Amino acid sequence: MSTTRKAIFPAKPHALYREHGYSPAIASGDLLFVSGMVGAREDGTAEPDLKAQVELAFENLEGVLAGAGGSFDDVVDLTFYMIDPEASVGLLLEGMKKAFPREPMPNVTAVGVNWLAGFQVEIKVIARVAGMGGSWTAKTQRSSREDIVPGDQ
């Protein structure tokens, strides 16, 4: 039995998805593969303050997880990408403690990079969202893409 890929969008997607032509996340069975989340404002521009950018990246991630009917509790794999690890890692770990306040924690990989398209940090996750597989239907159109929600029939 083959599993169909479905695009997942948050309730309030920022402009980068449309502008660059990618999905915030792809659901395949009960797995959710989330694109790197950045601290993008609604218009797609970077939040200039690093702490606020990290907080907004976690908020954007939460919105995508909710779009799939999930939450931070469903995250199993977490990767941080950072332009300046010394300045960013403490803020990312602080955000992680808020997002994941109890065990089990997701596994984490942190990577220093030299370019993130004007952003300072990016957060990428893989989640397993129970009940997601096979129950997806299209709800509404967002530009040329479908907003997918679980169990909406």
Side-chain angles (χ1 to χ4, degrees), residues 58-77:
F58 274 101
E59 287 174 26
N60 289 338
L61 173 57
E62 185 174 33
V64 172
L65 292 168
S71 70
F72 287 119
D73 288 338
D74 299 306
V75 173
V76 295
D77 183 71

Side-chain angles (χ1 to χ4, degrees), residues 92-117:
L92 286 163
L93 291 173
E94 182 181 315
M96 190 178 92
K97 287 177 185 175
K98 290 178 185 174
F100 307 100
R102 62 189 165 281
E103 297 289 336
M105 305 298 283
N107 63 304
V108 177
T109 301
V111 181
V113 298
N114 62 12
W115 185 79
L116 289 172

Side-chain angles (χ1 to χ4, degrees), residues 1-102:
M1 178 168 148
S2 102
T3 303
T4 304
R5 298 178 313 133
K6 301 288 184 181
I8 305 296
F9 284 79
K12 296 180 181 180
H14 57 66
L16 292 177
Y17 307 127
R18 193 174 327 104
E19 183 178 321
H20 297 291
Y22 68 97
S23 298
I26 294 290
S28 180
D30 63 353
L31 292 177
L32 183 68
F33 300 89
V34 181
S35 293
M37 292 290 112
V38 293
R41 299 171 175 157
E42 190 174 332
D43 67 359
T45 60
E47 172 60 51
D49 177 73
L50 179 58
K51 181 177 170 83
Q53 191 178 125
V54 169
E55 290 170 355
L56 187 54
F58 274 101
E59 287 174 26
N60 289 338
L61 173 57
E62 185 174 33
V64 172
L65 292 168
S71 70
F72 287 119
D73 288 338
D74 299 306
V75 173
V76 295
D77 183 71
L78 174 66
T79 303
F80 295 132
Y81 298 96
M82 304 163 282
I83 296 290
D84 182 351
E86 287 188 30
S88 304
V89 74
L91 296 170
L92 286 163
L93 291 173
E94 182 181 315
M96 190 178 92
K97 287 177 185 175
K98 290 178 185 174
F100 307 100
R102 62 189 165 281

